[in-house]
Amino acid sequence: MGKIAFPSASETPEGWVIPQAWDDYSAAEHAMWDRLFERQAKMLPSRAAPEFLEGLDILRMTQGGIPNFDKLSERLMKATGWRVVAVPGLVPDKVFFDHLANRRFVAGRFIRKPEQIDYLQEPDVFHDVFGHVPLLANPVFADYMQAYGEGGLRADGLGSIGYLARLYWYTVEFGLIRHEDGLRVYGAGIVSSHGESKFALDDPSPNRLGFDLKRVMRTRYRIDDYQQTYFVIDSFEDLLRQTLRTDFAPLYAELQSESDIETDEIVPSDRVFTVGTQTHALLRTTP
Ligand code: PHE
Ligand code: FE
């Protein structure tokens, strides 16, 4: 989601789609994917939601190299009716929502350079495809993402994209989920990050709180470092239940007169899994 990257591009969602040009990837680019993939494949079996790991399997992402979006889309289409299309970079919010509402996931085609292996500003193909696409093979999550796109178009009309974006951030990008042996990660921003897939679950620094729709929509987030708070859903069915059948319009109206909650704050109504020490954030901001 975000800024207009190519002002000359068409106003229609399809106008933003570019060919992936899979044949144009170099051996070094495929090797970069493999390196990132192996690192995450090693750590995620005990940390990621089973639904994410199943998605990797269903989509046969374990084959090596940057996935060919056409082949990936064929498998995804069979599983849940979604496809993956390439875009040049961040696209306008409405274009993004429209694609999601039509079960098209937009992904960057470029891959990070070796010196950006642990950190980059703009999502690349590894984040977009490895991070986001596996869960789209799960029918419940697939429905959630489509509903999010429809909700986005609606929020745009209501001037409330900011609140809805927080929901995306704390679920699709940085969500945690309960699992019989503790917590697991499912957010794309976590599963595609080597450091954060450890930090989000093991570090004493961040808060881990039960997901509550309105609470999440009141909560600020940071884009420059690991999250100071993660929200935990009980299951994907529960996430869908809390969002799909709730009319967000009255919520948006209420939120206007309520204050934001800070990135590290815990409020009395929170269901607390972990009270974070916030050591990580404190060390980062002290000069
Ligand atoms: N129910 C929401 C609305 O009324 C739409 C939505 C559904 C948003 C699921 C996110 C996820 O706008
Ligand atoms: Fe993302």
Side-chain angles (χ1 to χ4, degrees), residues 1 96 105 123-124 127-128 131-132 168-169 172-174 187-189 192:
M1 284 185 282
F96 177 74
F105 192 78
D124 70 343
H127 168 82
D128 282 340
H132 285 282
Y168 192 88
W169 193 262
V172 178
E173 295 291 355
F174 293 98
S192 64

Side-chain angles (χ1 to χ4, degrees), residues 144 147-148 151 154 164 167 243-244 246-248 252:
Y144 175 68
Y148 185 89
R154 187 167 181 233
L164 192 68
L167 173 63
T243 50
L244 198 64
T246 304
D247 181 359
F248 286 16
Y252 296 146

Side-chain angles (χ1 to χ4, degrees), residues 62 84 113 121 123 171 181 203 220 260:
T62 45
V84 178
K113 301 272 175 288
Q121 292 252 301
T171 59
D181 50 60
D203 205 280
R220 295 168 175 271
D260 282 349

Side-chain angles (χ1 to χ4, degrees), residues 91-112:
V91 301
D93 291 332
K94 273 173 88 166
V95 172
F96 177 74
F97 294 141
D98 196 279
H99 278 296
L100 293 184
N102 289 288
R103 295 198 170 229
R104 287 188 299 262
F105 192 78
V106 296
R109 80 165 292 285
F110 83 96
I111 190 150
R112 68 196 73 182

Side-chain angles (χ1 to χ4, degrees), residues 52-115:
F52 174 86
L53 301 167
E54 278 156 28
L56 284 181
D57 232 39
I58 294 171
L59 300 173
R60 274 182 261 153
M61 277 207 201
T62 45
Q63 279 177 344
I66 299 170
N68 179 317
F69 292 0
D70 291 335
K71 291 185 182 156
L72 188 62
S73 295
E74 256 173 58
R75 298 190 197 111
L76 195 54
M77 187 57 88
K78 274 190 203 133
T80 54
W82 274 77
R83 72 176 86 231
V84 178
V85 295
V87 288
L90 293 174
V91 301
D93 291 332
K94 273 173 88 166
V95 172
F96 177 74
F97 294 141
D98 196 279
H99 278 296
L100 293 184
N102 289 288
R103 295 198 170 229
R104 287 188 299 262
F105 192 78
V106 296
R109 80 165 292 285
F110 83 96
I111 190 150
R112 68 196 73 182
K113 301 272 175 288
E115 60 275 16

